[in-house]
Amino acid sequence: MWETVIGLEIHVQLATDSKLFSSSSTNFGSEQNTQASIIDLAMPGVLPVLNKKAVNMAIMFGLAVDAKIADKSIFARKNYFYPDLPKGYQISQYELPVVYDGELEINLDGKSKTIGITRAHLEEDAGKSIHDLFDGESAIDLNRAGTPLIEIVSEPDMRSAREAVTYLKKIHSIVKSLGISDGNMEEGSFRCDANVSLRKPGEDFGIRAEIKNINSFRFVEHAINYEVGRQQDILESGGAVNQETRLYDPKKDETRPMRSKEEANDYRYFPDPDLLPVEITKKQISEIKKSLPELPDAKKERFILEYGLKNDDAEILSSSLDLSEYFEKASINVSSKFQLLANFILSEVVGLSNKHSLDISKSPVTPDEIAKLVTYVSDEKISIKQAKEVLNESWQNKTNVDKIIKSKNIEQISNIDLLSDEAKKILEKHPKEVQDYKNGKDKLMGFFVGQVMKETQGKANPKALNEILHKLLKGE
Amino acid sequence: MIYKSVTEILEAIKKKQISATEITKEYLKRIKASGDLNCFITLTEDSALNRAKEIDKDISKNNLKPLSGLPIAQKDIFCTKGIKTSCGSKMLDNFISPYDATVVDKLNEAGTIMLGKTNMDEFAMGSSNETSFYGAVKNPWDYEYVPGGSSGGSASAVAARISPCSTGTDTGGSIRQPASLCGICGLKPTYGRVSRFGMIAFASSLDQAGLFTTDALDAAVLLKEISGHDPKDSTSSTVEVPNYHDYCINSDKKNFTVGIPEEFVNDLNDDVKNSFYESVKILENIGCKIKKINLKHTGLGVSAYQVVAPAECSSNLSRFDGVRYGHRSKKSESLESLYRESRSEGFGKEVKRRILVGTYALSAGYYDAYYLKAQKVRNLIAQDFSQAFEKVDLILGPTTPDKAFKIGEKMNDPIAMYLSDVYTVSTNLAGLPAMSIPMGFKEGMPLGLQIIGNHFDEKDILKLSYLYQKETDWHEQVPGA
Amino acid sequence: MDTIDSHHLGKIMDKNTIKKLTYLSKLSIPESDIDELSKNLDNILKLIGEIDAAPTDGMLPMAHPLDFTQPLRDDVCRKNINRDANQHDSSKTKDGYYTVPKILD
């Protein structure tokens, strides 16, 4: 009876070498304040100069989500005090953002839906405050201050936590495919705020709560689901939801109001007088358009056409740049069994990488090795079960696939003469069972297979063996 | 050895009639003898003498730069590496800049020798130099009078001949008004002509660095060295920098069409009016054509300015929060008190007033009525000027409504103080270049003539000033002489 | 909201307004200075209120005096940071961090 309404604000750090308005490095993890230049520190008298690559990256994103690109874009100051914000204002965009009016189609449970993208604007990141380093004091590291971000603001078009996560993942895969962000959520390169409200279907939007800085796909789903439950309880007991900013606590799996952040702030946006209007020409846009890499949707279509993959598998593979790259590298060495390769990667390799929380791009088993395993399976050299075992061992010991197969002597026996000899021996040994089988006790086929497997230490190709046994039993 | 002008000093050094060290010592001596003026916040005697030595070495190797050996005073708004840069404020009383402003860089590059950092109104907010944390500067023509502001120390120093030239900044008149009140030349170039990098921002869309000299040729020589595009300042212009000095000397242009806006002369008192019209006569004699014009909306200049400048300043001054540099209050037990106490102790009354007004003008519900409206009025004023420049080459008027006022006279009346910029603020709003040159005296105190040019037409302003100064000797009058 | 006529009628800069403004701008004004400040601010508002009557219909707001567009910088990283010089005031730092009284989220 309640409809959930969700809008997301996604902050994406852009993969530039230097900061948005200064030439200091954007590297992650340097010693504190060694990447904060006089400009990032807001020394008296310093001025910002805009990074061209950041603008181009924002345009790339805009083109990828069918958005409009402003021919004239303006930077504004958002004024508030915080120690991680050295100037006392953030240079952001307010009126005339670089990107506006875009949209993105998402697919969930076989249904597709379009999510509106209100705008995507450039802004600078803040530094970091560390509260547990010194007694009674907070420590400020401004290395991150000034790192370029695009903030992608969606329309309140999502109706469930799963839709929100699907949209978020798709944006993630787009920015990674475009190469404009490393998308690293742990290091904060890709962060999400969720605006959540409830309403009765058909009524106006309810009052929303903003959940800040949720840093994993899983937490987004949890945080939204928690928040939906919380608001529902309030509304159903006749209360009203507060318009407020809340933090998600993954340990307790709950959201709570932020304690001190700005009592009713007024950001006093105005055009930054240190920066002039940015002009974006048609020529610049068309050049960027030409250089755009393949995007997930186009890739999915190509995977279906080129590799004959099932729709759902193509969708999953293309939704992640790491995954699709892994698949395509392996596919080079797989002659035709692409669906088998896709199945193997999606179930086995992805399974292992999830289990070990390791990006598939960092998998110890290379795509070439996977290609070998899949080829052996399709050539019936090894069984699929054996392939899984080899993969597991290869993942753990980082030994190559051929070595493992050799050392374990697990190559399948597919030679028909050899298998026939073994099968004959077994049938001769068990005349009673042969007679029973012929009298209709079909189940005994399993017994014969089992006996041959026992003799061959499980290396018999089960499919070939079955055929041979059928033939022998019928023929005699 | 009284060297009157920059060009004469440069000539003497070039001809090795005097060394950089000798001239530097001479000016340091004069500065010390004139301590009562309170022109300097920091005197950089040691580094000046060291640098003079180096320059003398260069000169002995015939390695001569355009301004080799020229002593100069820098307004304490320009960041100077390793040297205290206070901006006239308690907030930055302990601030040592880790870098040089582009203007400082360029002047060093050209061979000048910095004598010290000059006193100024706190964060350049003031028209009398009385808001300085370091005390009021005095007018060398009469110590009871203000030198004007905000660049009061720079103006007073050049007027008193304790520095041959100095830098200043002009947001609403902060170069021209003190030049007028001190009887010297003060040039505010076109917005974007000179880099703002390293110049502590007051109102970013109005601030412009400029110069004080005793005559127009000196300003021409110096302007060339500080002008030009700076990749560190997005708002600095790429328009080519001409050789202003050669243009003054060599071009035979003299029949300028000069416009006199009714709005600038209607309310003048008799003394200022007389001085002004005598100057107009001189220009007519030179060959100028005088035309009456109107700048209908400049009457709104001060009001629009007092919205735009505080709005920008309220944001520009947020960085002074006591966290990374500058004054930090001892009463900082929470983050909120660190901010509030540091800023309240570090800023003076006028700065706080402007921050509050600016915050108000930008705040939700008032933005449209104040900030946006003021920016529209700004456009009206700019259009008045651009229409006028379709008919005239230059615009002429008095720089200030009156001679200097007494120290303390307007300190408790911000409105009266703001109105002393009535003829200067409009050119900042429109980004135009303008210069004040001496045009006479009233009761022993100097009066200034303001020449306003079209964007990037500093050369004609300088040329007309040069021609005027060939016919007059107001600029050669020295206080106490 | 678009007119400031009403502001001319009475005191605008009352204690509450000043309180809000000092909160936003992180200033604190001693109680004893508030009356004088509020009088001065009201006078300033009267002065700037004169723009209200200006005929600005159809005028665009002018944020910059010159009609330039923003020059863009190439994405080149320069490593010229001298943390010691930037942190010359060592009373504000510890181990290369700036320090402030503990912030509660």
Side-chain angles (χ1 to χ4, degrees):
Chain A
M1 96 165 206
W2 294 102
E3 183 180 49
T4 304
V5 175
I6 305 162
L8 296 186
E9 289 168 17
I10 308 171
H11 287 90
V12 181
Q13 268 186 8
L14 297 177
T16 53
D17 290 336
S18 66
K19 291 186 179 174
L20 188 55
F21 297 112
S22 82
S23 53
S24 39
S25 165
T26 54
N27 276 348
F28 180 81
S30 298
E31 199 186 321
Q32 56 275 15
N33 292 312
T34 54
Q35 277 176 195
S37 69
I38 54 171
I39 292 164
D40 312 320
L41 293 171
M43 284 289 171
V46 298
L47 296 169
V49 183
L50 181 59
N51 186 334
K52 183 180 192 173
K53 195 164 177 188
V55 176
N56 286 345
M57 284 176 162
I59 296 171
M60 285 172 82
F61 176 77
L63 293 172
V65 294
D66 290 326
K68 297 196 174 96
I69 310 294
D71 51 6
K72 187 178 136 187
S73 187
I74 287 179
F75 284 90
R77 294 184 180 178
K78 178 183 183 181
N79 294 284
Y80 66 96
F81 284 84
Y82 207 69
D84 63 13
L85 187 73
K87 293 187 293 296
Y89 57 84
Q90 179 194 32
I91 306 178
S92 179
Q93 300 198 279
Y94 191 61
E95 285 173 337
L96 306 182
V98 176
V99 170
Y100 61 100
D101 266 2
E103 59 178 42
L104 190 64
E105 194 181 278
I106 59 167
N107 293 288
L108 187 63
D109 302 331
K111 273 187 240 157
S112 73
K113 175 172 180 175
T114 301
I115 308 296
I117 293 175
T118 320
R119 56 188 277 149
H121 64 251
L122 279 164
E123 64 183 25
E124 51 179 354
D125 209 343
K128 277 181 186 159
S129 320
I130 304 149
H131 307 300
D132 53 5
L133 200 59
F134 304 128
D135 262 359
E137 285 177 313
S138 290
I140 314 295
D141 175 10
L142 297 171
N143 280 349
R144 197 180 67 178
T147 298
L149 298 173
I150 44 172
E151 180 178 329
I152 304 162
V153 182
S154 82
E155 292 289 312
D157 284 347
M158 287 153 277
R159 294 292 173 267
S160 71
R162 285 182 63 221
E163 273 185 22
V165 172
T166 306
Y167 164 79
L168 188 65
K169 281 187 172 166
K170 187 139 188 192
I171 294 281
H172 187 255
S173 105
I174 286 174
V175 297
K176 285 197 72 174
S177 300
L178 291 170
I180 62 174
S181 176
D182 65 16
N184 190 326
M185 295 180 93
E186 271 167 33
E187 292 177 2
S189 309
F190 191 89
R191 318 194 288 265
C192 173
D193 303 338
N195 288 307
V196 179
S197 64
L198 299 185
R199 68 167 170 188
K200 297 243 170 78
E203 287 185 1
D204 287 345
F205 290 134
I207 294 164
R208 64 193 161 90
E210 184 181 7
I211 316 170
K212 279 269 178 205
N213 269 335
I214 329 175
N215 61 1
S216 88
F217 293 123
R218 202 155 48 93
F219 293 162
V220 171
E221 191 160 350
H222 288 201
I224 292 173
N225 282 333
Y226 174 85
E227 185 58 24
V228 168
R230 187 187 71 88
Q231 291 187 14
Q232 198 168 327
D233 288 348
I234 293 173
L235 293 171
E236 274 171 10
S237 62
V241 173
N242 270 343
Q243 177 150 6
E244 63 183 354
T245 305
R246 300 175 70 87
L247 277 180
Y248 176 67
D249 181 342
K251 276 181 209 139
K252 295 183 184 156
D253 188 22
E254 62 177 32
T255 66
R256 57 178 163 80
M258 285 177 85
R259 256 182 295 178
S260 65
K261 198 93 172 185
E262 301 119 28
E263 39 184 285
N265 219 329
D266 175 349
Y267 292 122
R268 290 157 285 137
Y269 282 99
F270 74 106
D272 190 331
D274 288 332
L275 292 160
L276 300 157
V278 179
E279 215 171 61
I280 299 169
T281 61
K282 291 219 163 59
K283 187 168 159 254
Q284 189 182 353
I285 295 171
S286 79
E287 269 164 22
I288 292 171
K289 208 174 218 164
K290 269 184 240 155
S291 69
L292 278 190
E294 185 179 43
L295 289 165
D297 283 349
K299 189 174 281 175
K300 175 185 161 188
E301 291 309 312
R302 183 165 64 80
F303 279 10
I304 293 171
L305 277 172
E306 206 169 297
Y307 300 112
L309 298 187
K310 285 188 221 152
N311 186 75
D312 287 0
D313 295 336
E315 167 88 25
I316 300 170
L317 282 174
S318 61
S319 73
S320 149
L321 186 65
D322 288 342
L323 201 53
S324 61
E325 275 180 355
Y326 195 90
F327 170 78
E328 291 216 82
K329 274 184 200 154
S331 74
I332 298 167
N333 296 316
V334 172
S335 51
S336 64
K337 304 282 183 182
F338 299 121
Q339 183 63 51
L340 182 64
L341 174 67
N343 293 347
F344 196 70
I345 290 176
L346 289 175
S347 60
E348 304 309 320
V349 186
V350 168
L352 280 170
S353 78
N354 285 345
K355 191 173 142 199
H356 296 277
S357 303
L358 195 70
D359 272 0
I360 196 161
S361 58
K362 291 174 188 136
S363 152
V365 184
T366 63
D368 287 355
E369 296 287 288
I370 296 299
K372 269 185 200 161
L373 279 177
V374 169
T375 306
Y376 294 158
V377 171
S378 73
D379 290 351
E380 298 183 346
K381 210 171 157 190
I382 59 174
S383 69
I384 189 83
K385 196 167 151 261
Q386 287 169 326
K388 288 176 195 174
E389 284 165 19
V390 174
L391 170 66
N392 266 306
E393 186 163 342
S394 174
W395 186 290
Q396 248 153 43
N397 304 334
K398 300 187 173 66
T399 17
N400 76 43
V401 162
D402 284 334
K403 230 180 199 168
I404 295 167
I405 291 174
K406 209 168 192 183
S407 73
K408 294 205 138 183
N409 196 19
I410 50 173
E411 237 168 287
Q412 214 166 218
I413 302 168
S414 303
N415 183 305
I416 292 178
D417 292 342
L418 216 69
L419 285 179
S420 291
D421 287 351
E422 292 295 333
K424 277 178 193 158
K425 268 188 238 162
I426 293 298
L427 296 182
E428 276 162 22
K429 247 188 191 169
H430 301 282
K432 186 179 175 293
E433 282 79 2
V434 171
Q435 201 50 53
D436 287 352
Y437 177 86
K438 286 186 175 167
N439 289 342
K441 232 180 167 182
D442 289 353
K443 273 194 209 154
L444 281 165
M445 180 54 83
F447 168 77
F448 298 129
V449 170
Q451 290 299 312
V452 178
M453 281 293 178
K454 210 168 153 193
E455 284 300 310
T456 57
Q457 285 112 36
K459 283 192 273 179
N461 177 334
K463 201 173 139 212
L465 178 61
N466 251 305
E467 276 169 22
I468 287 164
L469 280 168
H470 268 115
K471 218 185 266 171
L472 287 173
L473 287 163
K474 222 186 256 169
E476 279 180 14
Chain B
M1 75 173 180
I2 293 187
Y3 288 92
K4 287 184 220 150
S5 70
V6 168
T7 47
E8 282 167 327
I9 291 170
L10 292 174
E11 194 62 20
I13 288 176
K14 200 170 158 189
K15 290 187 177 147
K16 299 191 178 152
Q17 291 163 344
I18 191 168
S19 70
T21 305
E22 284 169 313
I23 191 86
T24 303
K25 279 186 176 160
E26 169 64 22
Y27 278 104
L28 286 168
K29 198 176 84 193
R30 293 186 194 180
I31 290 169
K32 284 182 192 163
S34 66
D36 293 350
L37 281 174
N38 197 22
C39 289
F40 285 84
I41 291 173
T42 305
L43 201 59
T44 51
E45 185 172 3
D46 292 346
S47 67
L49 290 171
N50 285 337
R51 184 155 162 76
K53 231 184 267 172
E54 277 171 41
I55 285 173
D56 280 329
K57 227 184 271 169
D58 285 348
I59 293 171
S60 70
K61 291 179 206 152
N62 277 326
N63 182 4
L64 212 65
K65 290 172 178 162
L67 304 177
S68 278
L70 177 69
I72 192 166
Q74 296 278 10
K75 185 176 182 181
D76 207 20
I77 199 168
F78 293 101
C79 284
T80 43
K81 190 173 177 173
I83 294 165
K84 170 169 149 177
T85 302
S86 77
C87 220
S89 180
K90 179 181 178 186
M91 180 57 86
L92 292 179
D93 187 41
N94 62 1
F95 177 65
I96 310 290
S97 171
Y99 76 106
D100 276 329
T102 297
V103 164
V104 173
D105 238 8
K106 286 191 160 218
L107 285 168
N108 284 340
E109 203 46 48
T112 62
I113 296 164
M114 184 173 81
L115 298 169
K117 309 287 297 285
T118 59
N119 204 340
M120 55 182 284
D121 277 302
E122 185 180 13
F123 285 103
M125 296 173 202
S127 306
S128 67
N129 219 300
E130 293 166 287
T131 70
S132 170
F133 174 61
Y134 302 92
V137 175
K138 287 160 189 127
N139 192 315
W141 292 94
D142 186 335
Y143 281 27
E144 281 184 31
Y145 285 80
V146 303
S150 66
S151 316
S154 280
S156 178
V158 172
R161 304 311 197 256
I162 62 174
S163 181
C165 56
S166 61
T167 55
T169 60
D170 190 318
T171 305
S174 282
I175 289 174
R176 290 159 289 155
Q177 185 253 21
S180 171
L181 304 192
C182 289
I184 56 170
C185 295
L187 171 64
K188 173 206 121 54
T190 309
Y191 182 86
R193 178 73 297 179
V194 179
S195 169
R196 292 186 297 115
F197 187 78
M199 180 178 128
I200 298 176
F202 160 16
S204 310
S205 76
L206 303 164
D207 294 344
Q208 182 58 201
L211 300 158
F212 292 99
T213 56
T214 53
D215 69 35
L217 272 189
D218 288 3
V221 170
L222 288 168
L223 180 62
K224 179 167 190 295
E225 301 308 321
I226 62 169
S227 295
H229 177 67
D230 179 5
K232 292 179 198 151
D233 175 2
S234 303
T235 62
S236 73
S237 163
T238 52
V239 171
E240 206 189 324
V241 180
N243 189 324
Y244 301 106
H245 176 266
D246 290 359
Y247 182 81
C248 285
I249 304 274
N250 298 331
S251 110
D252 45 21
K253 198 159 176 188
K254 50 175 71 171
N255 51 344
F256 293 101
T257 308
V258 177
I260 298 176
E262 261 184 288
E263 293 78 3
F264 283 9
V265 290
N266 276 353
D267 303 327
L268 292 179
N269 66 47
D270 287 346
D271 292 309
V272 177
K273 202 174 229 166
N274 290 341
S275 279
F276 177 70
Y277 281 105
E278 274 170 35
S279 299
V280 171
K281 236 179 269 160
I282 292 166
L283 295 180
E284 276 179 315
N285 290 340
I286 291 169
C288 292
K289 214 163 83 199
I290 307 297
K291 224 176 187 171
K292 241 194 223 171
I293 58 166
N294 283 96
L295 298 170
K296 272 193 303 201
H297 302 99
T298 49
L300 292 167
V302 172
S303 295
Y305 174 85
Q306 289 300 343
V307 174
V308 175
E312 292 182 7
C313 110
S314 71
S315 174
N316 281 335
L317 267 57
S318 292
R319 67 189 58 200
F320 302 105
D321 58 4
V323 175
R324 297 162 315 286
Y325 51 78
H327 179 72
R328 187 186 284 202
S329 171
K330 294 201 168 61
K331 294 186 258 168
S332 303
E333 58 280 340
S334 68
L335 181 64
E336 185 72 10
S337 66
L338 182 155
Y339 283 150
R340 289 202 182 204
E341 298 306 324
S342 302
R343 287 167 62 78
S344 298
E345 292 167 11
F347 293 142
K349 272 188 187 173
E350 178 61 21
V351 171
K352 283 182 222 173
R353 269 200 294 264
R354 300 222 192 176
I355 291 174
L356 292 172
V357 170
T359 303
Y360 185 73
L362 289 175
S363 63
Y366 301 105
Y367 180 86
D368 288 2
Y370 287 103
Y371 183 74
L372 209 63
K373 179 82 181 183
Q375 294 287 48
K376 289 178 184 171
V377 172
R378 189 176 180 179
N379 208 353
L380 277 180
I381 292 172
Q383 281 192 1
D384 283 353
F385 277 110
S386 66
Q387 282 159 12
F389 281 119
E390 286 169 15
K391 289 174 249 158
V392 301
D393 301 318
L394 295 163
I395 292 171
L396 202 67
T399 310
T400 51
D402 208 344
K403 61 164 189 164
F405 46 93
K406 282 195 172 162
I407 292 176
E409 191 182 321
K410 296 185 179 176
M411 239 344 232
N412 294 315
D413 188 354
I415 302 297
M417 192 72 92
Y418 296 168
L419 290 173
S420 66
D421 293 335
V422 64
Y423 300 135
T424 48
V425 288
S426 294
T427 53
N428 296 82
L429 290 169
L432 296 165
M435 183 158 169
S436 177
I437 59 175
M439 69 165 184
F441 288 86
K442 176 187 174 186
E443 293 148 11
M445 299 302 286
L447 296 173
L449 178 69
Q450 181 174 220
I451 304 168
I452 303 169
N454 208 341
H455 291 132
F456 300 103
D457 196 15
E458 288 83 359
K459 64 180 195 312
D460 285 329
I461 296 176
L462 289 163
K463 174 79 191 186
L464 188 65
S465 303
Y466 169 71
L467 293 173
Y468 176 84
Q469 290 182 337
K470 285 219 290 195
E471 305 300 319
T472 57
D473 64 355
W474 303 118
H475 61 290
E476 286 167 359
Q477 309 295 315
V478 179
Chain C
M1 190 176 111
D2 248 316
T3 168
I4 44 186
D5 264 354
S6 57
H7 300 177
H8 297 243
L9 299 174
K11 222 167 156 57
I12 308 307
M13 288 290 178
D14 54 19
K15 253 183 206 175
N16 275 339
T17 310
I18 291 179
K19 201 176 149 208
K20 183 189 142 203
L21 295 177
T22 52
Y23 168 73
L24 289 174
S25 58
K26 298 288 176 251
L27 292 171
S28 71
I29 306 289
E31 202 56 35
S32 56
D33 291 358
I34 293 220
D35 279 347
E36 189 207 342
L37 177 69
S38 120
K39 191 190 88 199
N40 278 326
L41 292 180
D42 269 348
N43 287 336
I44 294 169
L45 286 196
K46 240 176 256 162
L47 171 74
I48 65 182
E50 287 173 19
I51 58 174
D52 194 34
T56 53
D57 283 355
M59 292 304 288
L60 289 171
M62 177 174 155
H64 286 283
L66 296 170
D67 198 15
F68 290 164
T69 55
Q70 173 69 26
L72 301 174
R73 174 176 61 81
D74 284 335
D75 182 29
V76 177
C77 189
R78 283 199 187 80
K79 292 186 173 121
N80 53 357
I81 290 166
N82 181 345
R83 190 176 69 182
D84 289 342
N86 291 342
Q87 300 188 343
H88 75 92
D89 182 357
S90 59
S91 70
K92 298 183 174 67
T93 61
K94 206 181 262 183
D95 298 345
Y97 290 101
Y98 297 95
T99 56
V100 296
K102 179 85 95 195
I103 310 165
L104 308 168
D105 68 30

